[in-house]
């Protein structure tokens, strides 16, 4: 029952707070300022409610003042039951009930749901842990600015209380002592409650008190609304300019639109007043009509976003995608959950606001909700857009742009504007019969769609067996030959080359596992993102960003697929069995699309990510983290919002996966999904192939990392770095670095797998290349000189380790200049008789150092420079290009290239 009320009442506020935090963080990149931004937003949202509360409190004060003499006489004259009866009669004669005294507490009561939502969000916000702000060392802990003996003194809660008392003193000037005691008492109660709480939460509540103080000062001004509008207009003007510079125009559009509305408030408020008093006069004069229209519209919006759109999404995929997820069996649970959220967001909270205000405000709200409902239906069903497939977690699997075409924008704008004008015409002409008819048709249609879709979902679900959706046994997915040759390429996503030496120094016993390997520290990647770096790693120099830009005969998507499949096809053509495990972004999708491998009977693409995490949790006695269900429950309402807004605003709604804040739980879950594959590598490996074997294995345990427990570096599933025995880590620099933990965990598990290969006599006859697509960033530069303005150079240093057939001896180091695009040539040299790229007809061969220098043209563009051109794009969007010669660790060896129309102007 508590979960029911939390989802219905608190969770809509939780998501509002989360989005406000993310908006401020995207603008200012500061956790403390983002918390203050949340406090500002909550204060502004509550201002109308505070105005109502203030009015009620003043009515209560006036009533108490008026009744006080009569109450005093009755109390002096009568005692016991007679006093009670006389007081009851006196209250009834004056149309008053003692329960009305609660009106004086309304100002405090409206803050409680927001406080609970803020407490829930900030207590679980992984972003603020370990982050400092002003004098606060860690927003995730109590400030403990100084100590008295062994007792830590938290300054922020004390400051919060003093500000609260000052605000209360200003507010209650001239009020009865009873009200002053109530406010001061609440200030002390919050001091006790929040004294040991995380500084981020106390900062939020402190700023609430600051803004409350400012609000109380405003109440003392002669024209508080005018002064407030002027200040808000100035702030909105600066904010709109700032976000326009900092963010994509489509993503900044809601902020800019809000700023325009604030600045032009007096104009459109006059327009709103005219519409309410003239165009909507029929609603204004009839409480029954406006209340009925509001209830219908709000309920219909909740049904549309909570049931209709989510149920359509489930039926468009399969019920199995949403069945037996974590602790939830039926897909209908997620429809139920989204319905509760939408009932809270579109009905419960709006109804609470609606019934607090007078008939003019109610008329505006009623008409606004009805118009919003009609426009939402038009956007959802007439302007759906083509955004590709959606995963069960409500993530778009194809990296398409959400920006509509100019024609789509103009048509949509014209239709929506025409619809608004038509609805207002119906109101003006008092054609309420037509409005009621339209309302009834819409409601019946949505109710019918909801019922039919839910029945379909349940029927599909009944056909599914639980064991069909879960892997309960680990079977081999790759094979090695004991008598022939094996070539293994292991890509560790984001494994930084500059960490390798420290990793082996931290765990020197690994050197005995990696016998015969040579480490190449002076290795460069051609991009700092997987979507740029992986094609060259898989396909060689023909698939580096610069080279792909100059092959305009096919789209980038197809060139990417060629890179992923090139080596597998080459080895298959010469009699090898090829295995491709978790290739990155196949078909430019985040979910595996392996259709480009069709027709190749001895090429075996496999999806392994996340397939074995359930077994891993069970075998390691951990309760599975309910991440997938959490994401579905959170994102369903966002997907519905995405569908009902105009296409021009969908980019803003979807921004960075629905404006979600990363949590420690999500991070650990992603890590386990990848790490479990490494941990089970011996069980996933067979050694009985009657053919030579080629294996290309991608794993992201070094990308989606988590804290691990030394000396074995096993994942910390519950808790964070505080649970790690840091004293067991020798290297001070990397003790709390998750990337270092993830790299060591990956190298340890791969090292154990190498021992398995040795024990099964398939190590010596295997050529092994362990390589990364790119490096990773560090707060303090490791390279000689400062990082470039565009991108830190650490991003371009991937790991590269190579073991040739029958190589032996301890791990060696070679400072030869290498690139990730050398990987295919390292794999095929002296193995394939005819190493020809089947797509271009060009030979794959090792390049000399000078040849590499000529071909080293590095893209400093962002990932979206590639993704935004999917399907209709043939090149990466123009950006900065660099080259490097000699040691990549000396910034002077890096040079920015001058490029115009894809031609180098200066080498």
């Amino acid at each position: 029952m508590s979960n029911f009320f939390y989802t219905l009442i608190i969770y809509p506020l939780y998501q509002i707070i989360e989005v406000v935090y993310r908006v401020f963080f995207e603008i200012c990149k500061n956790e403390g300022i983002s918390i203050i931004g949340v406090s500002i937003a909550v204060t502004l949202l509550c201002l109308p409610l505070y105005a109502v509360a203030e009015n009620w409190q003043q009515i209560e004060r006036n009533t108490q003042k008026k009744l006080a003499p009569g109450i005093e006489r009755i109390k002096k004259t009568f005692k016991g039951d007679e006093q009670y009866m006389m007081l009851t009669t006196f209250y009834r004669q004056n149309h008053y009930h003692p329960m009305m005294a609660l009106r004086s507490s309304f100002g405090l009561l409206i803050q409680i749901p927001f406080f609970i939502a803020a407490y829930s969000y900030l207590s679980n916000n992984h972003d603020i842990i370990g982050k400092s702000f002003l004098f606060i060392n860690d927003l995730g802990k109590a400030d403990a600015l100084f100590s008295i003996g062994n007792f830590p003194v938290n300054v922020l809660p004390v400051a919060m209380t003093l500000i609260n008392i000052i605000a209360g003193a200003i507010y209650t000037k001239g009020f009865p002592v009873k009200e002053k005691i109530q406010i001061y008492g609440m200030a002390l109660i919050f001091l006790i409650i929040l004294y040991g709480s995380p500084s981020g939460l106390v900062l939020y509540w402190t700023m609430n008190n600051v803004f409350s103080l400012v609000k109380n000062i405003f109440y003392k001004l002669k024209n508080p609304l005018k002064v407030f509008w002027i200040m808000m207009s100035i702030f909105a003007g600066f904010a709109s300019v700032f976000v326009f510079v900092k963010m994509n125009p489509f993503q900044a559009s809601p902020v800019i639109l809000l700023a325009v509305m604030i600045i032009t408030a007096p104009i459109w408020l006059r327009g709103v007043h005219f519409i309410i008093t003239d165009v909507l006069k029929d609603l204004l004069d009839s409480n029954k009509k406006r209340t009925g229209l509001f209830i219908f519209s709000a309920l219909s919006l909740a049904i549309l976003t909570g049931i209709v759109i989510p149920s359509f999404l489930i039926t468009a995929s399969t019920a199995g995608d949403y069945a037996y997820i974590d602790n939830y069996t039926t897909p209908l649970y997620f429809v139920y959950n989204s319905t509760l959220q939408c009932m809270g967001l579109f009905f419960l909270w709006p109804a609470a606001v609606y019934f607090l205000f007078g008939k003019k405000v109610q008329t505006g709200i009623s008409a606004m909700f009805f118009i919003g409902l009609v426009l939402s239906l038009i956007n959802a069903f007439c302007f759906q857009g083509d955004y590709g497939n959606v995963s069960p977690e409500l993530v778009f699997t194809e990296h398409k742009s959400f920006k509509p075409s100019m024609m789509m924008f103009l048509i949509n704008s014209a239709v929506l504007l025409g619809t608004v004008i038509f609805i207002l015409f119906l109101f003006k002409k008092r054609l309420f019969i037509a409005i009621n008819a339209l309302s009834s048709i819409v409601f019946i249609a949505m109710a019918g769609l909801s019922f039919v879709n839910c029945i379909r979902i349940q029927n599909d679900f009944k056909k599914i067996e639980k064991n069909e959706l879960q892997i309960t046994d680990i079977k081999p997915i790759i094979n090695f030959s004991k008598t022939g040759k094996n070539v293994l390429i292991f890509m560790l996503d984001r494994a930084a080359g500059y960490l390798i030496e420290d990793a082996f120094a931290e765990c020197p016993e690994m050197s005995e596992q990696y016998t015969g390997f040579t480490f190449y520290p002076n290795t460069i990647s051609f991009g700092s993102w997987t979507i740029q770096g992986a094609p060259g790693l898989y396909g060689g120099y023909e698939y580096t960003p610069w080279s792909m830009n100059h092959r305009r005969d096919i789209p980038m998507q197809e060139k990417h697929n060629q890179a992923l499949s090139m080596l597998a096809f080459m080895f298959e053509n010469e009699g090898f069995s090829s295995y491709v495990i978790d290739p990155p972004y196949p078909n430019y999708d985040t979910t595996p699309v392996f259709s480009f491998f069709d027709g190749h009977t001895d090429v075996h693409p496999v999806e392994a990510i996340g397939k074995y995490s359930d077994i891993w949790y069970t075998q390691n006695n951990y309760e599975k983290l309910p991440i997938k269900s959490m994401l579905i429950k959170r994102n369903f309402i966002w997907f519905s919002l995405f569908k009902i807004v105009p296409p021009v605003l969908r980019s803003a709604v979807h921004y960075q996966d629905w404006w979600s804040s990363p949590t420690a739980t999500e991070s650990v879950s992603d890590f386990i999904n990848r790490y479990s594959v490494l941990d089970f590598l011996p069980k996933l490996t067979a050694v009985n192939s009657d053919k030579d074997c080629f294996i290309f294995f991608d794993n992201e345990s070094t990308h989606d990392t988590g804290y691990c427990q030394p000396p074995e570096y096993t994942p910390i599933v519950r808790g964070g770095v505080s649970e790690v025995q840091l004293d067991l880590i020798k290297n001070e620099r990397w003790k709390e670095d998750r990337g270092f933990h993830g790299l060591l965990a990956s190298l340890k598990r791969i090292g154990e797998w190498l021992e398995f290969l040795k024990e099964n006599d398939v190590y010596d006859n295997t050529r092994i290349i362990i390589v990364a697509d790119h490096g990773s960033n560090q707060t303090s530069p490791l390279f000689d000189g400062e990082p470039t303005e565009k991108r830190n150079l650490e991003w371009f240093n991937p790991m590269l380790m190579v073991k040739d057939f029958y190589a032996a001896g301890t791990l060696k180091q070679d400072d030869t200049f290498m690139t990730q695009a050398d990987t295919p040539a390292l794999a095929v040299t002296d193995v394939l008789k005819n190493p020809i790229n089947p797509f271009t007809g060009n030979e794959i061969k090792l390049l000399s150092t000078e040849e590499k220098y000529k071909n080293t043209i590095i893209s400093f563009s962002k990932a979206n420079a590639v993704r935004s051109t999917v399907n209709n794009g043939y090149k990466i969007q123009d950006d900065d290009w660099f080259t490097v010669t000699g040691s990549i660790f000396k910034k002077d060896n890096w040079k920015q290239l001058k490029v115009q129309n894809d031609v180098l102007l200066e080498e």
Side-chain angles (χ1 to χ4, degrees), residues 310-326:
S311 64
F312 265 123
L313 181 63
I314 295 176
T315 55
S317 55
T318 62
D321 289 340
Y322 298 90
Y324 298 107
I325 294 176
D326 299 329

Side-chain angles (χ1 to χ4, degrees), residues 280-316:
L280 303 176
K281 194 172 187 310
D282 201 24
L283 287 182
L284 185 65
D285 295 339
S286 173
N287 179 61
K288 181 179 179 180
K289 286 183 179 179
R290 66 172 177 268
T291 301
L293 186 64
F294 163 73
I295 292 174
F296 155 77
S297 302
L299 280 174
S300 296
L301 265 174
I303 293 171
L304 172 65
T305 53
I307 306 178
V308 175
I309 295 177
S311 64
F312 265 123
L313 181 63
I314 295 176
T315 55

Side-chain angles (χ1 to χ4, degrees), residues 769-901:
I769 303 168
I770 305 177
V771 62
D773 52 342
H774 56 81
S776 62
N777 184 32
Q778 294 299 325
T779 52
S780 55
L782 297 170
F783 282 49
D784 175 32
E786 292 298 317
T788 67
E789 293 181 2
K790 276 282 184 181
R791 202 87 166 113
N792 286 22
L793 299 180
E794 288 82 3
W795 281 108
F796 300 90
N797 178 218
M799 73 171 291
L800 175 61
M801 294 172 58
V802 181
K803 184 204 81 76
D804 208 348
F805 299 109
Y806 300 97
T810 58
L811 179 67
K812 298 188 290 290
Q813 181 170 313
D814 187 330
D815 292 325
T816 300
F817 179 83
M818 302 290 286
T819 82
Q820 65 194 165
D822 290 324
T823 302
L826 291 171
V828 303
T829 299
D830 298 327
V831 177
L832 299 186
K833 297 177 182 178
N834 189 31
I836 300 297
N837 183 338
F839 302 106
T840 65
N842 295 323
E843 183 182 2
I844 306 296
K845 62 180 181 178
L846 291 171
L847 301 182
S848 67
T849 300
E850 292 302 320
E851 289 174 318
K852 291 177 189 177
Y853 290 156
K854 292 180 182 179
N855 285 278
T856 301
I857 303 176
I858 303 164
S859 172
F860 271 56
S861 63
K862 296 181 178 179
N864 287 338
V866 178
R867 293 174 180 173
S868 62
T869 59
V870 171
N871 290 335
N872 61 352
Y874 289 78
K875 64 186 289 288
I876 295 174
Q877 292 176 358
D878 292 329
D879 211 305
D880 291 342
W881 301 90
F882 281 72
T883 189
V884 61
T885 57
S887 172
I888 67 172
F889 298 98
K890 294 182 179 180
K891 188 173 182 295
D892 291 342
N893 291 344
W894 290 71
K895 182 175 68 173
Q896 185 168 2
L897 299 172
K898 294 182 180 179
V899 178
Q900 185 174 355
N901 297 326

